[in-house]
Amino acid sequence: YIISKILMAIPEQVDYLIIGAGIHGLSTAWHLAEKLKAKGKGDGSKILVVDKNSIASGASGVACGVVRNNYFQPAMRELMAHSVEVWESDPETFSYHSVGYMQVSCEAMRENLAQIFSEQKAIGYESVFIEGENASISYMRGLFDDWQAQGITSVLHEKRGGYANNTKSMYGLAGKVEELGVRIITGVEVK
């Protein structure tokens, strides 16, 4: 049951209805439209995305925008590497800035970082791991000559990854899905 806050032409029937115009909804619409086209089963015009407010009005609009492969859960490693590739595929549209990602940590985190680095290395995800207080300080001062932090004993420096301006990213993604024929209607509440 769909209620529109504004009078818009909501279709009586659609093949695919996606609720939410955030990262999950728009990404689903994008990939579904591409798959339909690739399989010769239509295009994005079979897809409708509705959102009760607007594009990126929920969590996707306020997320920090960090794009990285630095998660402790091993099962996430390949998924995150794939996600970084998606961001890298169209940095201008996604407002993506490939500046890398660093985790600079104390001794309590060193073992975890070593494991993350090992898993990144196993899938070919480029990163550098530095261990030991002197080596860590030296590495950081090689990047930032005024580095002052004390007590660090490990540095995990992902060469890929970076950040995205989240709202601009979502509007860029919305443009991609609309180019594929997907219709996005905002101001629609689903009950």
Side-chain angles (χ1 to χ4, degrees), residues 1-186:
Y1 178 55
I2 300 175
I3 300 173
S4 178
K5 293 179 185 173
I6 52 178
L7 297 175
M8 293 196 86
I10 296 178
E12 301 239 347
Q13 178 181 332
V14 294
D15 291 312
Y16 303 96
L17 174 65
I18 297 172
I19 301 168
I23 188 70
H24 293 108
L26 293 175
S27 181
T28 300
W30 178 34
H31 292 289
L32 176 59
E34 286 187 333
K35 287 211 183 283
L36 289 171
K37 185 177 176 182
K39 291 184 176 187
K41 294 186 175 185
D43 59 18
S45 65
K46 293 183 167 202
I47 305 167
L48 174 64
V49 177
V50 296
D51 195 286
K52 67 181 173 182
N53 292 312
S54 61
I55 295 168
S57 63
S60 297
V62 296
C64 67
V66 174
V67 177
R68 63 189 173 111
N69 192 0
N70 188 291
Y71 293 89
F72 191 65
Q73 303 84 357
M76 295 285 288
R77 198 75 54 235
E78 289 187 43
L79 175 61
M80 292 298 103
H82 172 74
S83 294
V84 171
E85 287 175 11
V86 172
W87 287 100
E88 292 171 339
S89 72
D90 193 347
E92 185 174 335
T93 297
F94 293 138
S95 189
Y96 173 66
H97 308 274
S98 180
V99 296
Y101 179 82
M102 296 182 81
Q103 184 171 343
V104 180
S105 300
C106 63
E107 184 59 25
M109 294 294 297
R110 186 189 53 76
E111 208 172 289
N112 290 348
L113 289 187
Q115 180 179 338
I116 292 169
F117 172 70
S118 174
E119 292 169 5
Q120 288 177 339
K121 189 175 177 182
I123 63 167
Y125 192 84
E126 185 183 1
S127 58
V128 174
F129 184 55
I130 308 300
E131 291 186 88
E133 187 170 1
N134 290 337
S136 295
I137 289 172
S138 177
Y139 185 80
M140 293 307 296
R141 285 189 179 151
L143 298 171
F144 308 103
D145 60 5
D146 60 346
W147 183 261
Q148 296 295 315
Q150 298 296 310
I152 62 169
T153 61
S154 58
V155 176
L156 179 59
H157 185 181
E158 295 181 28
K159 300 299 184 158
R160 296 172 64 196
Y163 71 95
N165 299 25
N166 50 344
T167 302
K168 285 183 178 180
S169 299
M170 294 304 92
Y171 276 92
L173 183 53
K176 278 189 172 292
V177 301
E178 288 175 329
E179 285 175 11
L180 292 167
V182 175
R183 193 158 167 215
I184 301 170
I185 303 177
T186 59

